[in-house]
Amino acid sequence: MKELAIIGIGQTPVGEHWAVGLRDLATEAIWAALDDAGLDGADALFVGNMLSGEMAQQAHLGALIADHAALAGIEAVKVEAACGAAAAALRQAVLAVGSGAAEVAVAVGVEKLTEQPPADTTAALAMAADGDYELPMGLSFVGVGALLMQRYLYEHRVPKEAFARFPIQAHDNAQHNPHAMFRSPITAQQYADAKMIASPINLLDSSPIADGAAAVVVTTAERARRLSDRAVRLLACEVGTDTVALHDRADLLWLKGVERSTKKALARAGKRHEEIDLFELHDAFSVIAALSLESAGFAERGCGLCHAQRGDFGRGGRLPIATMGGLKARGHPVGATGLYQVVEATLQLRGEAPEPLQIPDARVAMAQNIGGSGATVVTTILERMEG
Amino acid sequence: MNRATADVALMRPELPVGIVGYGAYIPRYRIRAEAISRVWHGDQDGGAPIAQKSVPGPDEDVITMSIEAAANALRRSGVAARDVRAVWVGSESHPYAVKPTGTIVAEALGIANATLAADLEFACKAGTEAMQAATALVGSGMAPYALAIGMDTAQGRPGDALEQSAAAGGAAFLMGAGDEAIALLEGAYSFVSDTPDFWRRADQPYPSHGHRFTGEPAYFTHIIGAARALMGAMGLTPSDFSAAIFHQPNSKYPRRVAKQLGFTAAQIAEGLLAPEIGNCYAGSSPLGLARVLDKAQPGDRILIVSFGSGAGSDALVYHVTDRIDDARRRAPSTDDYLARKQFVDYATYARWRGKIR
Amino acid sequence: MSLARHWRLRDQRYRLEGTACDDCGTIQFPPRPLCPNCRSRTLSPHPLDGRGQLISYTVLYQAPAGFEAQIPYAVGIVELGEGPRLTAMLTDVDLDALQIGMSLEMTIRKLRSDGDDGVIQYGYKFRPVQFEGA
């Protein structure tokens, strides 16, 4: 496998894009990334997306978006892995360029969740879970997260309020991110008063339904050095899986997919936990933030919250997380999210994060995109490219 | 009435047949009669002969309730599901107009595929009609076991007097050979006529009725006609029975008809559930029989007489055997279901029962 | 709503029919073509008895399309006595009485119906054990 780099990034604001369709959102992000790379095309396009069929009655996104972006003719396919679709598309770009099959590949994640009424969107998102054995029982995707959170509260004997730390910190960061959906801080009192969606998950435990697109341009490290002085090395992009149905896991509170994907990525990158300077984690629900930190090995089992309380994961802590607002406050356009994370990590490594979000001297960043409740996990490790 | 009834011979199967297993089911929820009458008639003291009625949960219907009762009946009998060769469900609230309740019940209980399955409709008599049919199937030697269920989730038009009583529940009976019976059928008699006392047209959600016309020419004529003919043909008098169950659309009618026939209050007490749960329609007299069997002693003789509007009555006489003691322990009793209750308010009841459109 | 899909799952939805591995004895629900424990391909149908324990639960206040009429309702993960776990709606229970570890039993209820003129889906739900010893 060749050494790889990201030489261009692009993102649209996350929010409710009533006036813009899927293909335009994706095209905007693709060309932002290509312009950033100083390129006028690519050999391959991998489109991460979960719900174009259900939300926009549109399949066949690869060719459609390649054509709309005036890239018609190149290899282009859609990659779907529920909320992990975007990073899974990046994985395909990595395989394509790493193998030598392509010189330059673009991975774009795009999602429009505002096309349908809320109950239909809720039903569509629930498709990340088991369609034969979870959905017919009335379970929603928030419900899946709630089953995890209820068990977490029970097994680890933590107070529900302790989870407030994650959304408060996410909102605090997002207010400085011009692309974020929620740009205002929240308080512990607002968290305590928030409306219940699926107990114990309330509105402020949950990332919002949103539209958005983000893209990166991947090429070889060798070529990157010639083309750009802002490239970052793409050390690893590794996939781990677990059962789709939550009930098939003997231990609900250990995300094996996270553990597997993290271990593979660290091994591929040749890095240790201590070398990671920031972690763009998949805080779709506040409990997933805690479980990700624990299963990835950044906190002991059951201790994600206590480390968070101590400030370990804040901007000045040992491992800043969700530095641009995370899924909770930047927003969670599901099939695009994984590439927002990678774009944000790249900005950090380039030293281009908006103040005061820039992590000083950030050298190595990890981004982790989760499909479903942990069934598909894609962990990406990036490193600043030294002169 | 243009036929003399007493001289018509009683009905009895060729081979001895009896109940080999029985099971009751009553939903968990209740609404107090006063909670209903307050909405439609304001606060009034007294006058409600039914204290409360049973209400099906929002995810219950005749199919799910039939499965519960039939599972209890199978459990009591010890019979393997695949030996059951008929599933007949009598109800006026089958969830589908076209698509049998019986097949779903049969499939759920593991009885399918080698079985008859059909739904019967005869207002509140459909349950005993199923018992007659199941008895005949076993009695003719066509099947070792046949399941008969009387079950309803009865609806009354909001504000109508019926709404005070229209309730949910019923019972299942597994019929089998006489030597396995916990209660042996000694004789039966059925009596029908064209009497328009109560009806529901196709596609209408709520029934209509003839008010006081439902009494003398309907309920009393048919029950008394069937009961007298059967007792006459068998040479029995009320004193030969330890218990009797009459269809119970309210608390008053079964007491009055018992008195007219010569039964004492004590004889009908155990089988009279209307004051507790209301009128379960096709499940009403079968549920009364289930409760009587819960308490019966070997040697007891029991009379059950249903009444279905439109109109007709089935009368059956059972003789309890010494197998009863062992069988009744194997499933929840009717009293267990009567004691399990959670009250709901009218708003919840209206939402669950689809009265808000 | 797919008619065929619900129909082909009826053995599971109505009778909790799982599989047992002929080689290592592991019991699965839902049924599997390969044993997840030993990869054996010889498995036999194995009905489960429907008693279990609540592992986790949630009460939903926002429902997916098709379930809006039932809000609020509870869904839980149940561990069956034989070992397998499943997800099920919880019924005949007061929502504030739910407790991890509580004993549950299977019942068949309406899962959902496809409008006023579509089919009604029936299947397992779980409720607190109703009558001990019965």
Side-chain angles (χ1 to χ4, degrees), chain A residues 186-311:
Chain A
I186 57 167
T187 63
Q189 191 57 49
Q190 282 173 297
Y191 178 85
D193 296 341
K195 187 173 75 168
M196 209 55 92
I197 302 175
S199 69
I201 288 187
N202 68 33
L203 192 64
L204 293 180
D205 283 308
S206 181
S207 54
I209 281 169
D211 306 331
V216 302
V217 182
V218 177
T219 190
T220 59
E222 187 196 344
R223 191 181 164 113
R225 277 189 199 96
R226 293 202 310 269
L227 284 173
S228 167
D229 54 2
R230 289 153 75 232
V232 303
R233 292 184 61 190
L234 207 177
L235 298 180
C237 179
E238 296 290 333
V239 181
T241 62
D242 196 358
T243 68
V244 166
L246 206 53
H247 55 237
D248 284 333
R249 300 180 198 162
D251 182 357
L252 292 185
L253 301 185
W254 195 255
L255 302 179
K256 282 187 186 163
V258 165
E259 183 187 8
R260 288 170 182 142
S261 165
T262 307
K263 281 186 172 163
K264 277 166 84 173
L266 286 170
R268 163 86 55 191
K271 297 290 178 193
R272 289 171 293 116
H273 283 90
E274 307 79 66
E275 294 176 86
I276 307 296
D277 296 317
L278 65 107
F279 184 25
E280 290 303 333
L281 49 53
H282 192 94
D283 55 335
F285 307 112
S286 44
V287 66
I288 302 283
L291 291 174
S292 293
L293 287 163
E294 294 168 21
S295 305
F298 293 109
E300 310 82 71
R301 184 189 168 93
C303 291
L305 290 170
C306 29
H307 287 288
Q309 297 297 357
R310 288 207 305 252

Side-chain angles (χ1 to χ4, degrees), chain B residues 44-347:
Chain B
Q44 292 174 8
D45 285 336
I50 286 172
Q52 68 254 336
K53 67 171 192 172
S54 56
V55 176
D59 55 1
E60 292 188 285
D61 63 16
V62 159
I63 290 173
T64 66
M65 292 163 55
S66 294
I67 293 167
E68 299 268 7
N72 284 338
L74 281 173
R75 210 170 291 144
R76 279 209 173 87
S77 71
V79 168
R82 59 184 59 250
D83 292 335
V84 178
R85 302 300 298 275
V87 178
W88 284 321
V89 187
S91 179
E92 64 116 64
S93 40
H94 291 288
Y96 289 96
V98 177
K99 186 184 183 317
T101 296
T103 53
I104 302 171
V105 174
E107 192 84 62
L109 294 170
I111 293 171
N113 307 108
T115 183
L116 286 158
D119 301 349
L120 294 132
E121 192 283 313
F122 192 144
C124 302
K125 177 175 110 70
T128 52
E129 183 90 26
M131 292 170 72
Q132 287 276 55
T135 300
L137 193 76
V138 174
S140 70
M142 278 181 75
Y145 303 101
L147 191 55
I149 303 169
M151 190 64 69
D152 255 308
T153 56
Q155 287 267 39
R157 189 186 306 279
D160 188 276
L162 266 183
E163 196 190 15
Q164 298 274 343
S165 58
F173 298 91
L174 187 66
M175 304 304 180
D179 57 2
E180 296 173 39
I182 57 173
L184 186 70
L185 182 76
E186 291 188 324
Y189 187 88
S190 292
F191 180 110
V192 306
S193 76
D194 175 4
T195 304
D197 59 318
F198 173 108
W199 62 93
R200 178 165 65 83
R201 294 277 296 274
D203 298 331
Q204 290 301 307
Y206 302 116
S208 305
H209 55 86
H211 302 276
R212 288 185 57 78
F213 185 69
T214 59
E216 213 48 59
Y219 181 88
F220 291 95
T221 298
H222 292 81
I223 287 189
I224 290 169
R228 285 214 173 119
L230 180 58
M231 287 192 288
M234 294 177 71
L236 298 171
T237 62
S239 61
D240 294 316
F241 293 91
S242 48
I245 304 105
F246 302 103
H247 175 57
Q248 25 208 272
N250 50 41
S251 306
K252 218 159 48 181
Y253 280 15
R255 290 192 174 113
R256 210 164 91 198
V257 84
K259 201 168 169 188
Q260 286 181 20
L261 283 165
F263 288 89
T264 65
Q267 281 173 299
I268 65 164
E270 279 171 1
L272 186 57
L273 303 179
E276 271 294 304
I277 55 166
N279 176 11
C280 298
Y281 283 48
S284 173
S285 51
L287 201 50
L289 176 58
R291 184 155 191 269
V292 167
L293 288 172
D294 283 340
K295 319 235 169 202
Q297 298 303 314
D300 282 0
R301 183 176 279 128
I302 302 164
L303 172 69
I304 169 176
V305 191
S306 64
F307 169 72
S309 292
S313 286
D314 297 311
L316 302 99
V317 172
Y318 286 103
H319 192 258
V320 178
T321 75
D322 54 11
R323 301 172 72 95
I324 185 81
D325 289 322
D326 192 36
R328 75 176 130 219
R329 282 194 294 271
R330 296 193 204 126
S333 69
T334 313
D335 280 353
D336 287 335
Y337 285 106
L338 288 171
R340 176 187 83 143
K341 58 186 168 194
Q342 178 79 25
F343 286 93
V344 297
D345 58 18
Y346 192 87

Side-chain angles (χ1 to χ4, degrees), chain A residues 141-167 191 196 198-206 246 252-253 284-291 305 373, chain C residues 55-58 77 100:
Chain A
F141 193 62
V142 185
V144 174
L147 291 169
L148 288 173
M149 191 174 192
Q150 188 73 260
R151 186 74 196 179
Y152 195 103
L153 294 171
Y154 171 82
E155 235 178 271
H156 296 324
R157 299 171 185 282
V158 291
K160 165 86 195 295
E161 312 83 72
F163 280 99
R165 183 83 190 191
F166 292 114
Y191 178 85
M196 209 55 92
S199 69
I201 288 187
N202 68 33
L203 192 64
L204 293 180
D205 283 308
S206 181
L246 206 53
L252 292 185
L253 301 185
F285 307 112
S286 44
V287 66
I288 302 283
L291 291 174
L305 290 170
S373 55
Chain C
I55 296 297
S56 192
Y57 64 90
T58 175
I77 293 180
I100 288 177

Side-chain angles (χ1 to χ4, degrees), chain B residues 25 28-29 58-61 63-64 67-68 95-96 104 107-108 110 331-332 336-337 340 342 351 357, chain C residues 10-11 14-15 68-71 91-94 107-110 116 118-120 122 125 127 130-131 134:
Chain B
Y25 185 77
R28 176 178 188 243
Y29 303 98
D59 55 1
E60 292 188 285
D61 63 16
I63 290 173
T64 66
I67 293 167
E68 299 268 7
Y96 289 96
I104 302 171
E107 192 84 62
D336 287 335
Y337 285 106
R340 176 187 83 143
Q342 178 79 25
R351 181 185 171 189
R357 301 222 153 224
Chain C
R10 65 197 185 284
D11 291 345
Y14 293 167
R15 294 194 307 280
E68 302 98 320
Q70 303 185 49
I71 293 170
T91 190
D92 279 0
V93 64
D94 301 327
T107 173
I108 294 179
R109 294 295 170 95
K110 284 190 279 187
D116 279 346
V119 295
I120 307 165
Y122 297 90
K125 292 191 182 184
R127 66 180 171 206
Q130 299 286 293
F131 310 112

Side-chain angles (χ1 to χ4, degrees), chain A residues 304-348:
Chain A
L305 290 170
C306 29
H307 287 288
Q309 297 297 357
R310 288 207 305 252
D312 284 8
F313 307 125
R315 286 209 292 272
R318 73 172 158 94
L319 182 73
I321 61 170
T323 65
M324 306 273 185
L327 280 61
K328 171 66 198 80
R330 170 238 298 127
H332 184 26
V334 288
T337 287
L339 282 161
Y340 274 97
Q341 296 174 308
V342 172
V343 164
E344 291 159 355
T346 303
L347 286 170
Q348 287 285 7

